Amino acid sequence: MEPISLSDALSSFTERWSPRIVTAVNDYDVRVAKVEGEHVWHVHAHTDEFFLVLGGELHIGLREPAGERTVVLPKGSVFTVPRGTEHKPYAPVPTEILVFEPTGTLTVGDRHDEVPGHVDVTTGHALS
């Protein structure tokens, strides 16, 4: 193994909402993605989902028992969506994120709304 530059990894692709796997930790993938616009409402029934904003700004809509709310993550912020919480990421500007979740986890979770064409339904792509 050699060190991986996150900036080099991010510059190796242009697709939005199409994460690349930069490394693995035990049974978890560390993925980076470029995002802009809306994702899709979805739920990960059996796992939390960790977000780190590397650049830009990420909003995450949450549907919780107390109602809907949105968290705003500026560059350098982290947030974990608890398992079973319906959520919808949205980036008002081009944004780069790092996501940490179990290997094989789909980007649209276990249950989701209709997936728009700009969202890649994947468990992550290898870096080229």
Side-chain angles (χ1 to χ4, degrees):
M1 290 295 303
E2 293 295 324
I4 297 167
S5 161
L6 293 180
S7 60
D8 288 350
L10 285 159
S11 65
S12 72
F13 65 99
T14 59
E15 297 85 5
R16 302 285 191 240
W17 301 111
S18 184
R20 299 308 192 266
I21 300 167
V22 293
T23 192
V25 179
N26 297 318
D27 297 329
Y28 284 77
D29 286 340
V30 178
R31 305 173 186 170
V32 293
K34 294 179 178 185
V35 300
E36 186 175 12
E38 296 187 358
H39 194 264
V40 62
W41 282 105
H42 65 285
V43 174
H44 299 280
H46 305 290
T47 185
D48 300 336
E49 186 172 17
F50 171 87
F51 293 88
L52 164 62
V53 178
L54 302 170
E57 181 177 278
L58 185 69
H59 298 203
I60 303 176
L62 301 165
R63 290 183 175 156
E64 301 171 309
E68 285 191 22
R69 70 181 177 114
T70 301
V71 295
V72 177
L73 289 78
K75 178 181 178 180
S77 296
V78 299
F79 184 77
T80 300
V81 176
R83 73 189 72 207
T85 301
E86 191 171 10
H87 59 288
K88 181 180 183 178
Y90 167 76
V93 298
T95 298
E96 297 172 335
I97 61 174
L98 180 142
V99 179
F100 186 75
E101 54 195 348
T103 299
T105 301
L106 283 173
T107 57
V108 295
D110 306 304
R111 182 171 41 87
H112 52 79
D113 285 351
E114 184 174 334
V115 180
H118 68 276
V119 173
D120 185 8
V121 178
T122 181
T123 58
H125 300 283
L127 283 175
S128 24

